[in-house]
Amino acid sequence: LTEAVLTPKELQVNLELCKQNFVQSWEALQLGYSAFDEIPKNFNDYLISYVGGIVAQATEQSIWTGSASTNGQFGGFQPALSASIAAGTGVLAAKSGSVIISGSITAANVLDKLNSVVNTIPNTVYGKEDLLLYVGTGVGKAYQQALAGGAVGANGWNNQMNVGDKPFNFNGIEIVLCPGMSANKIVAAQKSNLHFGTGLMSDYNEVRVLDMADLDGSQNFRVIMRYTAATQFGIGQDIAIHKNY
């Protein structure tokens, strides 16, 4: 076995915002008309929640497509899986015969693409309880459209009187929609084989808001958040992806 190392990258949020920009907001009544307004605590809570949501969105994107060399990002699964395929070190690219499957995924071909990925999954992994098909938003849309359109062989789905969401599974394997993935990407892997690492999960919930009025007399406040993050996969030979550069 080859050892896989996960090394979290240090990241931070450091914002300086002006109270004046929020005076006309829904918080105006609580801020009052004083020239020395303090930020009310419920606004602090709102701000912390807002910044936390933005960080969560950026984290989802980095988990899949992030680059460790880019400020504000950490290394994601897609670049690592693609590098493994290029180096021939384990990860399997879905194939049709001897041809690597690539190209955009549409409602017309999504079933064939999914079949190619499933056929590439090693027999030692197929049937495992935590085996999942991770897909980008474009693939998720195409799959729903294929089922809604009554595609031949679309998992035998009966569209009569069904106008809502269609099942998000393919031939018994659960499909997980990942907004942070590239639109036309499919990854078949065990959940236990994909790892997200951080020093303390509580770091993602700690956002500090500093009112600068008492320090420099300004109407500014600063938002500070520090955390660490990284991804890594364990056994590349157990992962199959739809290769599309």
Side-chain angles (χ1 to χ4, degrees):
L1 294 177
T2 300
E3 184 178 37
V5 179
L6 190 155
T7 306
K9 176 182 176 180
E10 292 187 9
L11 300 162
Q12 70 172 354
V13 174
N14 199 335
L15 301 174
E16 185 172 83
L17 303 173
C18 180
K19 299 176 192 176
Q20 191 65 30
N21 295 332
F22 298 94
V23 169
Q24 302 300 324
S25 72
W26 60 273
E27 286 290 338
L29 293 177
Q30 296 195 46
L31 284 172
Y33 297 99
S34 171
F36 297 95
D37 286 330
E38 295 181 359
I39 308 172
K41 182 171 177 56
N42 61 338
F43 182 74
N44 278 21
D45 294 341
Y46 161 76
L47 194 62
I48 289 172
S49 175
Y50 176 78
V51 172
I54 297 298
V55 170
Q57 180 179 355
T59 299
E60 161 70 15
Q61 293 171 340
S62 281
I63 283 175
W64 290 104
T65 62
S67 170
S69 61
T70 301
N71 287 337
Q73 298 182 7
F74 54 90
F77 288 122
Q78 284 183 215
L81 295 172
S82 297
S84 178
I85 291 175
T89 55
V91 176
L92 307 173
K95 297 182 177 181
S96 177
S98 60
V99 179
I100 294 177
I101 299 296
S102 62
S104 298
I105 297 179
T106 66
N109 64 18
V110 64
L111 300 180
D112 290 335
K113 301 286 189 180
L114 286 168
N115 267 318
S116 296
V117 174
V118 171
N119 290 337
T120 307
I121 297 172
N123 291 338
T124 53
V125 175
Y126 185 80
K128 295 292 185 180
E129 184 176 349
D130 63 341
L131 177 64
L132 301 170
L133 287 168
Y134 299 93
V135 304
T137 303
V139 178
K141 286 182 178 180
Y143 185 62
Q144 289 288 306
Q145 290 168 358
L147 296 186
V152 176
N155 286 346
W157 176 249
N158 188 343
N159 288 289
Q160 294 178 359
M161 305 301 292
N162 290 285
V163 295
D165 289 342
K166 308 305 182 292
F168 250 131
N169 68 76
F170 183 75
N171 293 342
I173 303 177
E174 182 182 354
I175 294 176
V176 179
L177 182 63
C178 303
M181 291 182 72
S182 298
N184 294 305
K185 189 68 68 178
I186 304 171
V187 175
Q190 292 175 266
K191 181 166 59 175
S192 58
N193 198 21
L194 301 178
H195 304 278
F196 170 79
T198 184
L200 294 172
M201 283 303 297
S202 60
D203 286 347
Y204 279 84
N205 301 319
E206 183 174 351
V207 183
R208 299 184 182 183
V209 181
L210 305 179
D211 192 340
M212 302 301 292
D214 294 336
L215 300 177
D216 59 13
S218 71
Q219 289 188 311
N220 298 327
F221 56 88
R222 292 183 179 178
V223 181
I224 301 170
M225 184 176 181
R226 292 189 178 94
Y227 54 99
T228 59
T231 62
Q232 182 61 277
F233 59 86
I235 303 173
Q237 294 90 337
D238 290 346
I239 301 174
I241 74 171
H242 170 266
K243 183 180 178 183
N244 181 33
Y245 298 108

